[in-house]
Amino acid sequence: MVRSIVRVLLFPFAMVVLLVGIYTAAMHAPTPHHLKIAVAGPPAQTGPLATSLRKTLGDAYDVSTVASTEQARQLVAHRAVAAAYVPAPTPGDRTAGTPSTTFARPPQPGGPLLYTASAAGAAQVNLAAAPFANVAVQQHQFLQVRDLVPLSTDDTSDTSTMYAAIGLTLAGYLSAVMLSTVFGTGLTRRRTVATLAAFGAVAALAVWLITGPVLGAVHGPAPAILVTGWLTVMAVGLATVFLSRFCGRMTALPAVGIFMFLGMPASGAALPIETMPAPIRALHDLLPMTSTSGSLRQIMYFDSDGIGRYWLTLALWAVAGLVLTFAYDALKARRTGHRNDTANQPRQAAEPALSR
C-alpha cells in the first residue's frame, strides 16, 4: 500500500521539483549577457564613448556604433539592437517615436537621446537604458527616451502574447497526452494526426477569439494568428505523441518539462533571453514556444516581418514528430515480427514428419 502511494505521488512531486527548479534557476537573478545596444553619431564622438562602455560593461552588453540616427532608428525598429543612444541629437531626432512611458521627462527635455522599442520586450527597456542613464547622470544631463514601437494600450503589461503562447502550447501537449492515455494504441496514427489537426484548429480559434475580439489584448490579421496557433498545436502535439512511445502514462512529465518549464524561459517572452543562463539561451531558437510567442509579437507589432522562420520551425517540429513516430512504430513492428518468427521456429522443427 505504501509503495503504491509513493508511486502515485512521485509524478506531482517531480512536477513541483521541475517547475521550481527550472524557473528559479532561469529567472531568479536576471543579468544581461551580450545585450545589443548602439551609439549613433560621428565616429569622433561615438568612438571614445563606445570604447569606454565596452570596458565598463564587459560581456553584459555588445556595444556597436552607427554613423546616423536614421540607421539607429532602423536597428531599433527591426529589433537588431535593444536601444540606440544619440549623444548629440538634432531637433528632428527628438520627434521620432513617442515619449517612453517607462521614464519621466521634464517639460523641456534636453541632453542626449535614447531610442527604444517596448514592443520588442518591455522588460529589456530598463536593461538597455541603464548604461546610458548612468552616462547621462555622470555628465549631469537628462536622458530623453523615445519609444519607436510602443506597446498597445490594450497590452501595457506586455504579457498578452506570452499567455496566448502558453495556452497554445498547453493545448498541444495536453491533447496528445490525453489521447495516448485514454486510447493508447487503440487510436491509429492516422486518426491521431487527424484528431490533433482538428483540435488544433478549434484551439487556435478559441485562443484568437478570447485574446482578440473578446478581450482586445492581441490584435493583428486573424489568418496569421490562426495559422500560428494551429502550427503550435501540431508541433507540440506530434512531438508529444512521439514521446508517448517511450514514456507511456508518464508522458506528461517530459512533455511539460520540455515545452513549458524549459520553453517559457527559453522563449524570452517573460524576460529577455539575454538575461537567461547559458543552457537556457542555447534552447532559444530550438523550442516551439519561442516561435509561437515570436510569431504573435511579430504579427501584433512588426507587420509579421520575419514570421516565416518561426512558422518553419513549428512545421519542422510537427514533421519531425510525425516521421519519428512512424519510424519508431515501424521498427517496433519489425522487431516484434522477428521475435514471433524466432519463437515459432523451434515449434515447427519439433513437429513429427507425416508417415506415408
Side-chain angles (χ1 to χ4, degrees), residues 15 29 34 52 69 72 77 89-90 130 132 161 167 176 182 191 213 223 275 281 291 306 316 328 347:
M15 293 280 281
H34 297 285
S52 175
T69 55
T90 65
F132 302 117
T161 56
V182 175
R191 288 185 176 179
T275 66
R281 296 200 304 274
S291 295
L316 289 175
Y328 176 86
R347 191 179 307 125

Side-chain angles (χ1 to χ4, degrees), residues 189 241 245 323-334:
R189 291 190 301 264
V241 169
R245 296 301 195 262
V323 170
L324 289 173
T325 300
F326 271 79
Y328 176 86
D329 289 349
L331 181 61
K332 185 177 180 180
R334 181 180 300 178

Side-chain angles (χ1 to χ4, degrees), residues 34 44 51 54 79 82 110 126 141 148 152 187 196 201 216 220 247 262-263 311 319 321 326 347 353:
H34 297 285
T51 301
R54 292 188 188 108
R79 304 174 67 182
N126 284 327
Q141 294 177 315
L148 299 179
S152 166
L187 199 63
L196 285 175
C247 305
L262 286 174
W311 284 1
V319 171
F326 271 79
R347 191 179 307 125

Side-chain angles (χ1 to χ4, degrees), residues 83-207:
Y85 180 74
V86 185
T90 65
D93 294 331
R94 297 187 184 279
T95 61
T98 60
S100 173
T101 56
T102 306
F103 300 87
R105 67 187 186 114
Q108 295 180 343
L113 178 67
L114 184 70
Y115 291 124
T116 65
S118 58
Q124 76 175 6
V125 172
N126 284 327
L127 287 174
F132 302 117
N134 292 334
V135 170
V137 168
Q138 292 171 4
Q139 297 176 350
H140 304 287
Q141 294 177 315
F142 172 79
L143 180 65
Q144 183 186 4
V145 182
R146 304 290 293 185
D147 197 340
L148 299 179
V149 190
L151 289 168
S152 166
T153 55
D154 297 316
D155 183 37
T156 55
S157 66
D158 191 28
T159 57
S160 298
T161 56
M162 180 184 72
Y163 288 132
I166 289 174
L168 291 166
T169 302
L170 177 67
Y173 75 76
L174 193 55
S175 59
V177 166
M178 294 301 295
L179 288 174
S180 63
T181 301
V182 175
F183 296 101
T185 57
L187 199 63
T188 64
R189 291 190 301 264
R190 181 175 298 180
R191 288 185 176 179
T192 299
V193 174
T195 302
L196 285 175
F199 178 76
V202 173
L205 181 62
V207 170

Side-chain angles (χ1 to χ4, degrees), residues 221-243:
I225 296 175
L226 293 174
V227 168
T228 299
W230 184 79
L231 284 174
T232 300
V233 175
M234 295 300 290
V236 177
L238 290 174
T240 303
V241 169
F242 175 63
L243 288 176

